[in-house]
């Protein structure tokens, strides 16, 4: 991103990433908040018998820290993220790792809920459906064009959608 968005050289980008990571480890990791209804929605989906996983391009250790910070780590059956060694880096690689860990779960029973084009592209590459949310970082129109099944504007709408899935 530093190269693409700010015209940094390779060397400048490396240095910027190191500075970013240094700050992120102690402060930045806590400068986020949950969207309204996230915890209650996850709890409700768990109560309905859904398996809940997190598949993030953030480092897996950071994901665990953030989820524990918000007191929701225990709601997840699996947390998968990128690795610091670069072996798991892209959304596709993260999703493949989730699929490896959930080898007993049919891909047709897995749906990624995402908010970026990278979520949709990664899910497409591994053969799982995507539902996108409009309150994240991505362009909903582009995500739908790339093959997302549908979009939701709130966690309540998401719950309603999954209720409909149960009845099909």
């Amino acid at each position: 991103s530093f190269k693409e968005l700010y015209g940094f050289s390779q060397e400048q980008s490396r240095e910027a990433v190191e500075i970013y990571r240094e700050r992120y480890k102690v402060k930045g990791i806590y400068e986020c908040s949950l969207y309204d209804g996230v915890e209650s929605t996850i709890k409700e989906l768990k109560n309905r018998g859904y398996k809940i996983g997190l598949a993030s391009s953030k480092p897996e250790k950071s994901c665990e820290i953030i989820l524990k910070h918000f007191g929701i780590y225990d709601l997840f059956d699996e947390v998968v993220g990128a690795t610091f060694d670069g072996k798991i880096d892209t959304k596709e690689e993260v999703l493949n790792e989730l699929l490896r860990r959930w080898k007993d779960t049919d891909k047709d029973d897995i749906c990624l809920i995402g908010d970026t084009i990278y979520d949709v592209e990664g899910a497409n590459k591994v053969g799982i459906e995507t539902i996108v949310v409009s309150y994240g970082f991505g362009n909903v129109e582009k995500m739908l064009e790339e093959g997302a099944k549908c979009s939701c504007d709130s966690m309540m709408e998401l719950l309603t959608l999954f209720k409909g899935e149960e009845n099909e």
Side-chain angles (χ1 to χ4, degrees), residues 32-74:
C32 58
S33 58
L34 295 176
Y35 288 112
D36 289 338
V38 166
E39 183 175 359
S40 60
T41 298
I42 293 170
K43 285 180 177 177
E44 177 60 27
L45 290 172
K46 290 288 287 182
N47 287 338
R48 293 181 189 180
Y50 286 98
K51 201 170 176 179
I52 305 292
L54 178 82
S56 176
S57 296
K58 283 184 175 61
E60 191 166 307
K61 192 46 119 173
S62 297
C63 294
E64 292 173 4
I65 291 168
I66 292 167
L67 294 174
K68 287 176 182 176
H69 172 72
F70 287 113
I72 60 173
Y73 178 79
D74 292 335

Side-chain angles (χ1 to χ4, degrees), residues 4 15 26 36 50 57 71 73 77 79 88 90 99 112 117-119 126 138:
E4 290 176 24
E15 186 177 331
V26 294
D36 289 338
Y50 286 98
S57 296
Y73 178 79
D77 297 293
V79 175
I88 299 174
T90 66
L99 292 172
L112 176 70
I117 195 72
Y118 304 111
D119 293 323
V126 301

Side-chain angles (χ1 to χ4, degrees), residues 43 75 85 91 105 126-127 134 163:
K43 285 180 177 177
L75 297 176
D85 63 8
K91 183 58 82 160
T105 303
V126 301
S134 63
K163 189 172 188 175

Side-chain angles (χ1 to χ4, degrees), residues 12-26:
Q12 289 172 317
S13 294
R14 269 197 207 80
E15 186 177 331
V17 166
E18 288 306 313
I19 293 168
Y20 170 84
R21 286 181 177 164
E22 181 83 20
R23 183 187 182 282
Y24 187 79
K25 281 192 288 189
V26 294

Side-chain angles (χ1 to χ4, degrees), residues 53-56 91-92 94-95 98 107 109-124 126 128-133 148-150 158 162:
L54 178 82
S56 176
K91 183 58 82 160
E92 178 184 7
V94 169
L95 290 170
L98 176 70
K107 275 202 268 189
D109 293 331
I110 297 175
C111 178
L112 176 70
I113 300 167
D115 70 341
T116 70
I117 195 72
Y118 304 111
D119 293 323
V120 178
E121 290 171 348
N124 287 345
V126 301
I128 61 175
E129 287 190 341
T130 311
I131 296 171
V132 295
V133 294
K149 180 178 178 179
C150 62
L158 190 63
F162 276 96

